[in-house]
Each structure stands twice: as structure tokens, then as C-alpha cells.
């Protein structure tokens, strides 16, 4: 098995808005495409936030790309963050920047040596692949939910991350765009080893692309394995999330 | 009661320590050069100077002129009647250049730009733009706080000096009809009374007020957590605390001069 890029070791932490406590112990190997599925308030978003180092667990440790978040002060987190692309439930596109400038920002900030032309080309190529090139000059307030999400995913991919953390990447996308996104991530992974961890709220064709499914309920992993393996073991009430 | 006083004192010190930390980090970001995001940071800085400094010129001009008219008229008409016409320059320099110029400029900047910064950062916090920047490895201090702070300090300094000039000279020109002192005598009286200490004092106040207002407004903007209703609450706190801290700094800077 490949080396683990994300480890949540005996992690326990309260879940906001739920009487349950997230209690997970999991390892995600380099290059894996993992989907976290389950009903609302099952702890999927919290796992993404823990992995991104935004939440410190009450107990246990979270290690991403060999760095334990608890031991990494804020000032030393940048090198890790540059290797990780994250899109949260609220994607946080900068409201005073156009789609183009939002997607360009990580390149302009971190890749000073790149020429303006190369950066612009890279951004346009990414926008093109995600069907956003016509919206390049729009501001986030002028976009619909799915467009905002795709722009945020494009931004998260600009630095060629080794790990991509996505919270509800298909929210607001129609069936065709889900397939566009799925194909795009598959192409990316074919060219460049990238671990993807995605939290999914509803059944989606996106799930066909994943290597491994983690089914969560009330803060616990109730099934873990390939889609075929998980379908056979999840309780009936959760089967809709993996079907 | 003692417990309450203790709690409030600790909260006050913690608050000031947080402002000092924010300010120190911004200064470090300014003086420690890095190639990362220089152009973006510069762009934020230029926009801040345009908004806080350049866009504030009309309102600063109007307020400085009105205040100048009041003070120059009062000093220029009352003092000669009391046989203290020679003190006109001194009184105007002390009142406008040392005190009211920096203070009123600070109040204008707090009202226009301080509240705008607190609101902008508050909204950015609620919409998770601040978190998104962090996740992209973009330093909040370098990209968000430092350029706003530098922009505000430079703008405050320039606006303060501009305010002083407009209030003193503009005030005279507008109030000219009521005065018995000729213009050349007025200017001579001002230049005689104006010392390096006065100019230094107005500059120190401009710089300190700018730093304090920027730190407070950034702090309160970023203190917003999860709801848009927190934004006006934090903005109000930022405004009130800015006024109080500016007055406190004014006392700390002014009083030792007379000891």
C-alpha cells in the first residue's frame, strides 16, 4: 500500500449542532480518491476541516503530508498548504475579484517567477476545462452556486496540489457538469498523482470515480472500502448514499 | 465588584496585547522583504491610500476650512481686544497644529475608512474569504492587514498635515473680512510660533493615530465569526475604541511636553 498522506489517528472531537462526537481513525494513501458519504451532521465536513488543519481535535492527531497540524504553528503552515487544494462548503471566492483574478490569485501570489502570460494561459486553460471561460470577468455575486463552486475548484487546482480536499464539490452542479468535473479530476489524476478526499451529501455519478468509500453516520465510520464492498455491508438506511 | 474590575482590567490588557501583536506582525511583514505576493500587496496598499487619503480630501478640506474659520476668527478678533494680539499665532498653532488637526483628521479617517475596513474584513470573515486565503497559503497579515495599515498610516499623516495647512491658511483667507490683523502679520505670527516640536508633534500624532485606528479596525473586522449581524456590532466597537485610543494616545503624547 502507498504511503499515507492523510492520517486521522484516534481523533475525537465534538460536532457542532449534533449531540454526537466525531470518533474516527483513518488513513488515506497517496493517490487514493476517497469519498466521504452519509447523511447531514454525520461528520463529513468536519473530517475535511480537520484534514485542512482548520479544526484542532480534542483528542488524537491529524497528519497531512507528514506534518502534524497540532505541532505546526500557523507561521510554518504555508509550505504544507501549498501542496493542498481545499474547497470548503462555503468556497470563499474573493468578492472584489473577478473569476479570472480569483483563480489567478494563488499563481500570482506564490509563483512570482512565472510570466504574466503563462499564468493567464494556465488560468484560462483551467477555466476552459471546467466550462467557466465565458464567466472569466464576472464577480462571484453574479454567479450561481455551481459556478462559484467550479471556480473555487479551479482555484484550488492552480498550484497542482498533491492532495485535494473537497467539501460537497457537486453541490449546485447539473448532471452534465458533474460528469465534466469527474472527467477533469480523472484526467488530472492520470497525469499527476493527486489524492482526492471529497465529502458528498447526495448520491451522484461522481461516486463512480472514487477508489474508496467511507460511510459516516453520527460521527463514526460505519463502512469503509470499495463501492462494491461497501454496498453489501452498509445498513439499509444508508444504502442510498452508496448506490 | 473587585472581581468585575479585575476581569475588565485583564480584558483591557488582553485587548491591547492583541492589537500590539497584530501591529507588530504587520510591521514585520513590512520590513522583512519577500517576493511572495508583492504585486498583490502593493495593489491593496495603493487602493487603501486612494480610498483613505485621496478620496478623503474633499471632506477634509471642508471640515478644516470650517474649523479654521471658527478658530482663526475667535483668536484673531478676541485676542487683539484683550491686548494679546501677539498670541494669535501661538494660540492657533497650539489649537490647530498640535491638537485639533491630528484629532479631527483621525475622527474623519475613523468614520470613513476605519469603519469601511472593519465592515469589509467582517464580511470577508463571514463569507469565509479569510479562511480561503489561509487555505491558499496566503498570509492574512501580509495580504490583508499590512497594506491596509501602511495605507492608513501614510494617508493619516498626509491628511493631518494637509488639514493643518488648510485650517490655518484657509481659515484666515475665509475669515479675513472680520480680522484686524493683516495677512503678512498673521503669517509671521504663525511662523514665529511654529516650532519643529509642533510639526514633529503633529506628525507623531498622525502616525500613532493611523497605526491605532488601522490595528483596531482590522482586529474588529477579523473578530467577526459566523453571522452578518456581528459586522455592524464589531464596526461600532472599532469606531468607539478608535476614538478612545486616539484620545488616550493624544494625552500620552501631549502631557509630557508640559511637565
Amino acid at each position: 500500500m502507498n504511503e499515507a498522506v492523510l492520517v486521522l489517528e484516534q481523533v475525537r472531537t465534538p460536532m457542532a449542532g449534533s449531540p454526537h462526537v466525531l470518533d474516527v481513525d483513518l488513513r488515506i494513501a497517496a493517490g487514493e480518491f476517497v469519498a466521504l458519504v452519509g447523511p447531514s451532521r454525520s461528520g463529513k465536513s468536519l473530517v475535511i476541516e480537520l484534514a485542512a488543519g482548520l479544526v484542532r481535535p480534542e483528542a488524537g492527531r491529524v497528519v497531512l503530508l507528514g506534518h502534524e497540524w497540532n505541532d505546526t504553528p500557523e507561521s510554518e503552515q504555508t509550505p504544507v498548504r501549498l501542496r493542498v487544494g481545499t474547497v470548503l462548503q462555503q468556497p470563499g471566492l474573493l468578492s472584489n475579484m473577478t473569476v479570472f483574478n480569483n483563480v489567478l490569485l494563488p499563481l500570482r501570489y506564490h509563483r512570482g517567477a512565472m510570466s504574466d502570460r503563462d499564468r493567464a494561459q494556465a488560468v484560462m486553460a483551467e477555466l476552459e476545462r471546467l466550462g467557466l471561460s465565458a464567466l472569466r470577468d464576472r464577480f462571484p455575486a453574479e454567479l450561481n452556486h455551481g459556478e462559484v463552486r467550479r471556480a473555487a475548484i479551479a482555484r484550488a487546482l492552480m498550484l497542482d496540489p498533491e492532495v485535494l480536499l473537497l467539501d460537497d464539490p457537486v453541490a449546485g452542479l447539473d448532471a452534465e457538469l458533474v460528469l465534466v468535473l469527474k472527467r477533469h479530476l480523472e484526467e488530472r489524476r492520470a497525469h499527476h498523482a493527486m489524492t482526492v478526499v471529497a465529502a458528498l451529501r447526495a448520491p451522484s455519478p461522481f461516486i463512480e470515480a472514487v477508489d474508496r468509500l467511507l460511510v459516516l453516520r453520527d460521527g463514526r465510520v460505519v463502512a469503509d472500502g470499495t463501492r462494491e464492498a461497501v454496498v453489501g455491508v452498509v445498513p439499509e438506511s444508508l444504502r442510498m448514499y452508496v448506490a | 465588584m473587585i472581581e468585575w474590575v479585575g476581569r475588565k482590567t485583564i480584558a483591557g490588557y488582553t485587548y491591547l496585547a492583541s492589537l500590539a501583536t497584530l501591529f507588530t506582525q504587520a510591521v514585520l511583514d513590512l520590513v522583512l522583504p519577500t517576493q511572495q505576493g508583492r504585486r498583490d500587496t502593493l495593489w491593496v496598499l495603493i487602493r487603501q491610500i486612494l480610498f483613505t487619503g485621496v478620496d478623503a480630501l474633499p471632506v477634509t478640506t471642508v471640515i478644516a476650512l470650517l474649523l479654521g474659520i471658527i478658530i482663526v476668527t475667535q483668536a484673531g478678533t478676541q485676542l487683539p481686544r484683550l491686548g494679546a494680539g501677539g498670541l494669535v499665532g501661538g494660540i492657533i498653532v497650539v489649537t490647530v497644529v498640535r491638537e485639533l488637526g491630528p484629532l479631527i483628521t483621525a475622527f474623519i479617517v475613523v468614520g470613513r475608512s476605519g469603519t469601511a475596513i472593519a465592515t469589509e474584513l467582517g464580511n470577508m470573515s463571514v463569507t469565509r474569504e479569510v479562511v480561503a486565503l489561509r487555505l491558499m497559503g496566503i498570509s492574512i497579515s501580509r495580504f490583508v492587514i499590512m497594506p491596509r495599515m501602511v495605507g492608513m498610516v501614510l494617508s493619516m499623516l498626509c491628511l493631518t498635515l494637509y488639514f493643518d495647512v488648510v485650517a490655518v491658511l484657509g481659515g484666515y483667507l475665509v475669515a479675513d473680512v472680520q480680522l484686524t490683523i493683516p495677512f503678512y502679520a498673521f503669517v509671521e505670527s504663525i511662523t514665529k510660533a511654529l516650532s519643529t516640536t509642533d510639526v514633529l508633534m503633529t506628525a507623531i500624532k498622525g502616525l500613532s493615530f493611523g497605526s491605532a485606528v488601522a490595528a483596531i479596525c482590522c482586529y474588529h473586522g477579523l473578530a467577526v465569526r459566523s453571522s452578518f449581524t456581528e459586522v455592524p456590532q464589531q464596526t461600532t466597537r472599532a469606531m468607539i475604541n478608535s476614538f478612545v485610543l486616539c484620545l488616550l494616545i493624544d494625552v500620552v503624547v501631549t502631557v509630557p511636553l508640559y511637565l
Side-chain angles (χ1 to χ4, degrees), chain A residues 98-116:
Chain A
T98 60
V99 168
F100 180 84
N101 283 326
N102 261 289
V103 179
L104 179 69
L105 182 63
L107 277 187
R108 214 167 45 186
Y109 198 89
H110 295 294
R111 302 273 156 86
M114 240 174 132
S115 72
D116 284 351

Side-chain angles (χ1 to χ4, degrees), chain B:
Chain B
M1 178 67 184
I2 292 172
E3 193 188 327
W4 182 84
V5 172
R7 259 206 315 270
K8 287 286 170 193
T9 309
I10 291 169
Y13 275 118
T14 312
Y15 177 67
L16 289 176
S18 305
L19 293 181
T21 310
L22 194 109
F23 177 74
T24 311
Q25 185 57 53
V27 172
L28 287 175
D29 285 329
L30 177 68
V31 296
L32 298 176
T34 174
Q35 290 303 311
Q36 262 187 349
R38 277 177 67 176
R39 206 202 294 180
D40 288 290
T41 310
L42 187 66
W43 180 235
V44 179
L45 170 64
I46 290 169
R47 276 193 313 188
Q48 192 62 52
I49 290 174
L50 284 176
F51 176 64
T52 306
V54 180
D55 288 356
L57 284 175
V59 69
T60 307
T61 309
V62 172
I63 294 176
L65 271 177
L66 293 174
L67 188 89
I69 292 168
I70 295 165
I71 291 172
V72 174
T73 307
Q74 293 282 13
T77 53
Q78 298 303 315
L79 290 174
R81 270 189 219 164
L82 300 166
L87 292 176
V88 170
I91 294 285
I92 289 171
V93 165
V94 167
T95 326
V96 175
V97 180
R98 278 197 189 179
E99 287 307 323
L100 292 179
L103 258 184
I104 292 186
T105 308
F107 289 175
I108 294 170
V109 171
V110 171
R112 276 191 84 255
S113 310
T115 51
I117 287 178
T119 308
E120 186 191 11
L121 298 193
N123 287 333
M124 282 176 74
S125 299
V126 179
T127 54
R128 306 210 82 184
E129 291 174 38
V130 175
V131 173
L133 287 172
R134 232 182 105 196
L135 289 170
M136 283 188 275
I138 294 175
S139 160
I140 304 302
S141 175
R142 187 179 294 278
F143 184 68
V144 176
I145 300 170
M146 185 268 280
R148 282 173 175 78
M149 198 171 276
V150 174
M152 187 170 267
V153 170
L154 290 177
S155 303
M156 184 85 87
L157 177 63
C158 297
L159 280 178
T160 303
L161 297 172
Y162 174 77
F163 187 101
D164 291 348
V165 173
V166 173
V168 173
L169 293 183
Y172 176 85
L173 294 175
V174 179
D176 185 28
V177 282
Q178 308 228 355
L179 298 183
T180 51
I181 310 167
F183 182 65
Y184 71 89
F186 176 79
V187 172
E188 196 186 359
S189 165
I190 295 285
T191 44
K192 259 189 192 165
L194 194 67
S195 66
T196 315
T197 314
D198 297 314
V199 179
L200 216 61
M201 192 62 78
T202 204
I204 288 170
K205 285 183 181 176
L207 291 172
S208 327
F209 294 168
S211 310
V213 172
I216 290 171
C217 294
C218 287
Y219 174 84
H220 283 281
L222 295 171
V224 172
R225 286 285 159 255
S226 49
S227 154
F228 284 112
T229 52
E230 289 175 51
V231 178
Q233 291 166 353
Q234 289 293 348
T235 304
T236 310
R237 266 180 224 156
M239 196 169 80
I240 300 295
N241 291 357
S242 296
F243 288 157
V244 173
L245 197 60
C246 284
L247 287 166
L248 199 68
I249 292 171
D250 200 11
V251 170
V252 170
V253 174
T254 306
V255 170
L257 267 186
Y258 297 99
L259 292 177

Side-chain angles (χ1 to χ4, degrees), chain A residues 191-235:
Chain A
H191 290 105
H192 159 77
M194 180 169 70
T195 309
V196 183
V197 184
L200 299 173
R201 252 150 211 87
S204 151
F206 196 73
I207 223 165
E208 291 161 14
V210 307
D211 304 318
R212 182 178 160 199
L213 276 176
L214 285 164
V215 185
L216 281 100
R217 185 170 63 187
D218 300 336
R220 284 162 197 274
V221 177
V222 293
D224 178 359
T226 60
R227 191 173 166 211
E228 293 73 27
V230 162
V231 168
V233 296
V234 285

Side-chain angles (χ1 to χ4, degrees), chain A residues 23 28 51 63 66 79 83 109 149 157 165 177 205 213 221 227:
Chain A
D23 187 351
I28 291 171
V63 182
R83 298 165 64 194
Y109 198 89
R149 194 151 292 274
L157 287 168
L165 303 170
L177 287 170
L213 276 176
V221 177
R227 191 173 166 211

Side-chain angles (χ1 to χ4, degrees), chain A residues 144-188:
Chain A
N144 67 34
H145 194 43
E147 289 161 350
V148 168
R149 194 151 292 274
R150 277 182 289 148
I153 292 172
R155 185 175 68 178
L157 287 168
M158 284 320 292
L159 296 178
D160 293 325
E162 292 168 50
V163 179
L164 185 63
L165 303 170
L166 303 171
D167 194 352
D168 213 3
V170 294
L173 302 190
D174 58 40
E176 198 181 328
L177 287 170
V178 172
L179 293 177
V180 168
L181 178 62
K182 177 177 154 251
R183 238 185 346 256
H184 182 46
L185 291 182
E186 282 170 342
E187 280 168 19
R188 276 243 172 200

